[in-house]
Amino acid sequence: MRPEYFSAARALVAGIVLVASTGFASAESAHAIAMYGKPALEADFESLPYVNPDALKGGRLVVGNTGGFDTLNPFSQKGTPPWQLRFWSYESLMGRSWDEPFTLYGLLAESLEVPDDRSWVEFTLRPEARFSDGSPVTIEDVIWSYETLGTKGHLRYRGFWSKVERIEQTGPRSVKLTFNTEDRELALIAGLRPILKKDQWAGKDFAASGLTEAPIGSGAYVVSDFEPGRFVTLTRNPDYWGADLPFRRGTQNFDELRIDFFGDETVLFEAFKAGELSAYREFNPEKWQSAYDFPAVRRGDVVKTEIPHQRPSGITGLAINTRRAPLNDWRVREALLLAFNFEYINGTVTGGLQPRISSYFSNSALAMQPGPATGKVRALLEPYRADLLPGALEGYALPQSDGTSRNRKNLRRAVALLAEAGWQVQDGVLKNADGRSLELSVLLRQGDAQMKTVVELYGRALDRLGIRLTPELVDNAQYVMRQNAFDFDLTRIRRELSLSPGNEQRLYWGKAGVNQPGSRNLMGIDSPAVEAMIDHLLTAQSAEDFTAAVRSLDRVLISGRYVIPIWQYDRGRIAHVKALRHPEKSPIYGDRSDYFPDVWWYQPE
């Protein structure tokens, strides 16, 4: 052969090697992954920064829920499980540090690899990882868990699975997921899927397990006893495989966790006062000041603890179902906001002690800035000008009253907007041109005494506009069923948001959830601008671009008048028996599901 052939062949081989080596160089094995920047903890970290690594093991914790439960499977769309189960009994390949915006460290996986563009991620399992029954966690279990949750599991898992092009075993203990969508967060979300045991479900219907059995997980706690409608008891596995992991050091300290169920919040609180519960989360600051003078507090047997945080407010309030007329008219929704006398209601219900939610990301640097949109935020929103509601570009702020019960100025503005939308008061009743009166109901869970009071106060204001507002209190099963079917005019909503919002935004406000039963888009938001802003935040290459995208999304959501916001929970408040202890340092996310009881411990004097 001619020398030129060998030269060309050598050049071709060299090019292939160069391309391959470039791909591998950008996908080095790592112990952790951060959404932006570098993980705060090095590979040899000893424990998470907000735990007490020397916390005592032992003791029993009893907490209370309202309502009931009809399944022990927290991953199925069907049924209502005790919400704590998916946090206490199950693990994922990676675990989250709550002292960083969004950083994951190895849990079931000892390491991961991702390329610079994060188009795929590969995890390597720890050889010692075990399920609670002692069997090893295998790659087969991992692949089955992703596929099953993505096709038969709760809706919150299915969106991610639609973005997985393929999942494959790449070694004895390694698995690779390749994505079909440009989305830098997917590699992190992949690390947070719960891993379940495949063999448990051979010949069984995962989606309809009910109370027959709880899924087998690898977490420290297993369901050891339960009685439908009354209690669930979880016991710490003495042979828990991950007890010595640095990520787990100082956590999961109680020997037993028990959840007791009560008909409503009032009965639950009385049970705590009587000593039947170990702890009680308080969400009303006025009650925190006035209702904790019972004997156990005076004796010092019950302690009041406040946990600060730096996370966004999220959105809490009354979701407006825009699938229904006339709530699909922004002028009607603005009128409802004008009639909601926050200053008076907040003063009556919380003593005026809770700060107001001013946007979906208030209390953080991600919140929209006051006034007209400028810079990158305006550039992102301008292409959608025709779809935006008044205030998105110009600036929007929630209505404020003078603090009195009359709220006359705002009610006059509401009357004008309703008239513009075709509604006039006739004989004290607001009616449209067809003679239809405007009657609204609010779907609430039985036992939600605080929101019931809010709705009753709100109803008095709407009466003055000729609108009838009726609270509908239903049991837990009906509440879930009707929310899943979007069978309501207004209903309570609480969406906690993080310092690193991502794909969950699509679940909360994405158009795919408008007609999807059981979706978390309760308001029925269908906005091209919302879709685009979520796309931008998922593909942002820098923290600056990411912040601009979130602030733009915030503007579209708050100016959409989809929710009547109430107050933000600016700190956690937990009353507890004095034997319960917690670390001195709080994580930036404060009191979340992985904080209490995860890093607390029992230490009697």
Side-chain angles (χ1 to χ4, degrees):
M1 293 184 179
R2 290 180 299 175
E4 290 84 357
Y5 173 85
F6 291 104
S7 297
R10 281 196 297 269
L12 177 61
V13 172
I16 294 173
V17 171
L18 177 61
V19 170
S21 64
T22 300
F24 283 115
S26 62
E28 296 179 357
S29 179
H31 73 291
I33 182 173
M35 186 64 192
Y36 293 103
K38 295 182 178 180
L41 304 178
E42 299 293 341
D44 60 351
F45 75 95
E46 296 184 359
S47 64
L48 295 171
Y50 51 90
V51 307
N52 172 11
D54 300 317
L56 297 178
K57 301 291 184 182
R60 180 175 186 254
L61 177 76
V62 185
V63 296
N65 286 4
T66 58
F69 63 97
D70 56 11
T71 181
L72 296 174
N73 186 346
F75 309 110
S76 171
Q77 182 66 25
K78 184 178 180 181
T80 303
W83 65 265
Q84 295 95 333
L85 289 188
R86 69 186 179 105
F87 300 104
W88 293 353
S89 298
Y90 304 95
E91 292 179 323
S92 47
L93 298 177
M94 309 290 287
R96 186 166 183 175
S97 168
W98 294 106
D99 207 38
E100 301 173 58
F102 194 9
T103 300
L104 306 182
Y105 294 88
L107 186 50
L108 287 172
E110 63 183 10
S111 63
L112 80 163
E113 297 182 18
V114 289
D116 290 340
D117 64 1
R118 296 190 179 177
S119 58
W120 54 266
V121 61
E122 185 174 31
F123 300 99
T124 299
L125 281 176
R126 296 182 190 273
E128 69 270 30
R130 294 288 185 276
F131 287 113
S132 59
D133 65 354
S135 60
V137 178
T138 68
I139 295 300
E140 190 176 9
D141 293 312
V142 174
I143 294 175
W144 178 87
S145 296
Y146 280 98
E147 292 177 341
T148 300
L149 293 177
T151 56
K152 301 178 182 179
H154 195 278
L155 290 178
R156 61 177 170 266
Y157 301 113
R158 300 189 192 184
F160 167 79
W161 184 246
S162 69
K163 299 179 181 181
V164 177
E165 180 177 314
R166 63 181 179 274
I167 182 171
E168 55 192 324
Q169 183 166 354
T170 53
R173 292 187 290 111
S174 57
V175 61
K176 180 179 179 181
L177 293 94
T178 303
F179 307 117
N180 58 26
T181 303
E182 183 184 358
D183 183 340
R184 292 181 58 80
E185 192 189 39
L186 292 178
L188 284 82
I189 295 177
L192 291 176
R193 299 294 90 168
I195 304 303
L196 310 177
K197 183 172 179 174
K198 176 184 178 181
D199 287 350
Q200 178 187 7
W201 300 100
K204 301 176 184 177
D205 185 354
F206 177 83
S209 55
L211 295 172
T212 56
E213 58 186 321
I216 295 174
S218 62
Y221 292 96
V222 295
V223 174
S224 54
D225 194 13
F226 72 94
E227 186 174 327
R230 290 197 58 209
F231 71 88
V232 176
T233 298
L234 297 94
T235 304
R236 184 155 55 87
N237 180 6
D239 299 319
Y240 170 54
W241 75 274
D244 296 326
L245 287 181
F247 185 83
R248 286 302 194 200
R249 191 167 295 140
T251 71
Q252 302 176 318
N253 302 309
F254 297 96
D255 283 344
E256 182 180 296
L257 302 172
R258 175 178 164 121
I259 310 164
D260 284 345
F261 289 80
F262 300 89
D264 58 45
E265 200 67 37
T266 300
V267 178
L268 193 160
F269 184 59
E270 290 301 317
F272 171 66
K273 289 167 60 177
E276 297 175 24
L277 305 179
S278 308
Y280 181 86
R281 273 191 174 100
E282 181 56 71
F283 296 101
N284 187 330
E286 191 279 330
K287 182 181 171 185
W288 185 250
Q289 289 192 348
S290 63
Y292 286 79
D293 190 33
F294 50 89
V297 175
R298 292 196 294 269
R299 292 192 306 266
D301 294 334
V302 166
V303 178
K304 296 166 64 179
T305 294
E306 296 190 4
I307 302 101
H309 68 78
Q310 303 170 47
R311 65 179 185 265
S313 64
I315 196 73
T316 302
L318 296 173
I320 303 173
N321 189 356
T322 65
R323 301 171 184 83
R324 295 184 172 185
L327 301 177
N328 58 344
D329 188 324
W330 75 266
R331 296 167 297 184
V332 173
R333 301 199 299 273
E334 176 71 358
L336 293 178
L337 277 160
L338 285 161
F340 188 83
N341 190 345
F342 174 81
E343 287 72 23
Y344 177 74
I345 292 174
N346 189 34
T348 302
V349 178
T350 78
L353 298 173
Q354 275 314 56
R356 188 180 197 179
I357 291 173
S358 57
S359 77
Y360 286 56
F361 293 91
S362 52
N363 194 47
S364 79
L366 299 176
M368 69 176 195
Q369 303 301 290
T374 60
K376 290 187 175 183
V377 171
R378 190 170 195 90
L380 289 173
L381 292 175
E382 277 288 358
Y384 303 92
R385 176 184 283 272
D387 298 308
L388 298 175
L389 294 182
L393 286 168
E394 308 88 339
Y396 179 79
L398 294 168
Q400 287 186 315
S401 76
D402 59 9
T404 68
S405 61
R406 303 299 291 173
N407 193 24
R408 286 177 175 153
K409 182 179 178 180
N410 283 347
L411 288 181
R412 283 196 297 269
R413 291 170 59 196
V415 167
L417 276 170
L418 289 167
E420 186 180 320
W423 296 84
Q424 300 282 349
V425 176
Q426 303 174 28
D427 299 324
V429 177
L430 192 70
K431 296 183 179 180
N432 63 9
D434 297 328
R436 175 193 167 191
S437 60
L438 186 48
E439 299 181 3
L440 300 172
S441 64
V442 182
L443 177 68
L444 297 176
R445 194 191 304 264
Q446 276 182 354
D448 193 348
Q450 186 181 80
M451 190 56 82
K452 179 175 180 289
T453 301
V454 169
V455 170
E456 289 172 346
L457 291 170
Y458 184 32
R460 296 173 197 170
L462 290 179
D463 279 342
R464 297 172 61 197
L465 294 177
I467 301 173
R468 181 180 178 185
L469 184 71
T470 305
E472 288 188 85
L473 278 77
V474 299
D475 63 33
N476 192 65
Q478 290 186 67
Y479 181 78
V480 172
M481 180 181 67
R482 289 186 56 182
Q483 277 203 345
N484 286 345
F486 313 122
D487 181 16
F488 58 85
D489 296 322
L490 293 87
T491 190
R492 178 165 189 156
I493 186 171
R494 170 68 177 149
R495 296 288 181 262
E496 292 191 358
L497 301 177
S498 78
L499 291 164
S500 183
N503 278 271
E504 78 286 349
Q505 302 301 296
R506 196 91 71 192
L507 292 175
Y508 297 160
W509 345 111
K511 66 179 180 181
V514 173
N515 297 311
Q516 183 180 50
S519 91
R520 305 200 72 189
N521 184 356
L522 294 179
M523 298 80 77
I525 299 172
D526 185 356
S527 164
V530 166
E531 299 296 317
M533 297 312 112
I534 295 174
D535 287 340
H536 284 302
L537 70 88
L538 291 175
T539 56
Q541 297 290 317
S542 69
E544 183 183 8
D545 288 345
F546 175 77
T547 298
V550 179
R551 288 177 175 176
S552 302
L553 174 64
D554 198 12
R555 278 179 172 266
V556 180
L557 291 173
I558 198 69
S559 65
R561 288 92 164 167
Y562 300 116
V563 175
I564 301 172
I566 53 172
W567 41 81
Q568 57 179 286
Y569 299 104
D570 59 336
R571 65 193 61 213
R573 296 176 174 89
I574 302 177
H576 55 88
V577 297
K578 64 180 180 181
L580 295 186
R581 308 297 176 88
H582 62 91
E584 293 183 7
K585 175 181 169 59
S586 298
I588 60 174
Y589 278 98
D591 176 28
R592 295 291 291 265
S593 52
D594 286 358
Y595 174 76
F596 175 78
D598 207 42
V599 304
W600 290 53
W601 67 93
Y602 183 80
Q603 184 175 329
E605 292 183 2

